[in-house]
Amino acid sequence: MTALPADFYARPVLEVAPDLIGCTVEHGETAGVIVETEAYHESEPACHAYVGLTARTETLFGEPGRAYVYRSYGIHALLNAVCEPVGVGAAVLIRALAPLTGTELMRARRGLDGLAGHAAAGSGSLDRELCSGPGKLTQALGIELDENGTSLASGPVRIGARAGEWREPQVVAGSRIGISRAVELRWRFCATGDPNVSRPRP
DNA sequence: CATGGGATTGACT
DNA sequence: GTCAATCCCATGC
C-alpha cells in the first residue's frame, strides 16, 4: 500500500474529504476502503476546533496527515484525518469503510463472530455490519484513543491512495449526521450506492 | 470543583 | 419511533 503523503492533507478540508473516498485505511491485520466521510472546519460550530486551541483540540490544530481520535458519547472512538496547514483546526471524519482484509478479526472484535454460522447466504450481509458507522469501524479495526496524534503515513493507522476499482469512485454529497449546529452544510461525502454507507443514505 | 453535553450504537416499543 | 450506556473535557461557579 502506498501511503498518502502529508501534503495530500495540507489542502482545504472540503477538497480532501471527497478525495478520501476510495482510499484505504489499514491498521494491523485489518483494512478497508473509505466509502463515507465528513468535513469539519474551525469556521463552523459543529467542529470541535470552533472553540479554539484547547487540550482536546491540540491535534486538530497540529500537523496535517495525523490521526485525530477522540471518544464520543463515552463509548466510541472516532477516527479523523487532520487537514490544512498547522494552526488551522480542520479534519475529515472517517464514517464508513468497505471491509477489505481481516474480516474474521473484525467480526470477532465487533462481537459478530457467533453469527458466522449463517455463512453461505449471510456472510456478505454481515460484512456490511462491520464498518458501516464511525464507531463501528474503529472497533472493527481496533483503533484506540492512544493513536491520537500519530502519523497516517508512517504510524499504526495508515491511509493509502486509491487503487484498482476504486481509482475513480462516484461521490455524492449530503448533510452531516448526528450534529445539532451548522446542519445546513452539505459536507458529507459518500460512495454512490455502496452498501457500507451508514444511515440515512443520501 | 461540579456539571452537562456530545461528529453513536444497539436494544426495545 | 424512543432511550440508556459512559467518558472526556469545556464551561461556569
Side-chain angles (χ1 to χ4, degrees):
Chain A
M1 186 189 79
T2 307
L4 294 167
D7 59 5
F8 174 89
Y9 304 95
R11 297 182 291 147
V13 70
L14 280 175
E15 293 181 14
V16 179
D19 283 357
L20 278 173
I21 301 292
C23 295
T24 304
V25 180
E26 190 179 85
H27 186 243
E29 303 302 307
T30 52
V33 177
I34 299 171
V35 296
E36 181 180 353
T37 62
E38 280 178 4
Y40 287 88
H41 188 270
E42 63 179 45
S43 62
E44 44 89 15
C47 183
H48 291 169
Y50 185 69
V51 297
L53 181 58
T54 65
R56 183 195 201 193
T57 60
E58 191 179 347
T59 306
L60 271 175
F61 284 93
E63 293 179 46
R66 296 197 176 256
Y68 169 51
V69 185
Y70 73 96
R71 187 167 300 289
S72 175
Y73 292 93
I75 301 173
H76 306 285
L78 268 55
L79 173 66
N80 301 251
V82 176
C83 293
E84 310 219 4
V86 172
V88 179
V92 175
L93 170 67
I94 312 298
R95 281 194 60 88
L97 307 176
L100 201 57
T101 59
T103 53
E104 290 295 314
L105 184 51
M106 290 186 189
R107 260 192 287 279
R109 285 176 177 148
R110 293 269 298 120
L112 300 172
D113 50 328
L115 304 176
H118 273 272
S123 64
S125 57
L126 281 177
D127 278 358
R128 77 186 51 179
E129 291 306 311
L130 296 177
C131 300
S132 55
K136 294 178 182 179
L137 72 90
T138 54
Q139 184 184 24
L141 268 60
I143 294 170
E144 304 287 351
L145 290 192
D146 54 20
E147 271 136 341
N148 182 41
T150 59
S151 168
L152 292 170
S154 59
V157 183
R158 293 153 69 89
I159 298 183
R162 291 169 175 171
E165 300 185 12
W166 290 97
R167 187 83 59 175
E168 292 285 337
Q170 196 174 21
V171 177
V172 60
S175 300
R176 294 179 292 181
I177 304 300
I179 54 171
S180 54
R181 296 182 292 179
V183 293
E184 73 283 1
L185 299 176
R186 297 172 64 83
W187 285 9
R188 181 191 186 209
F189 303 94
C190 304
T192 304
D194 191 279
N196 296 284
V197 171
S198 66
R199 289 191 231 184
R201 313 251 290 264

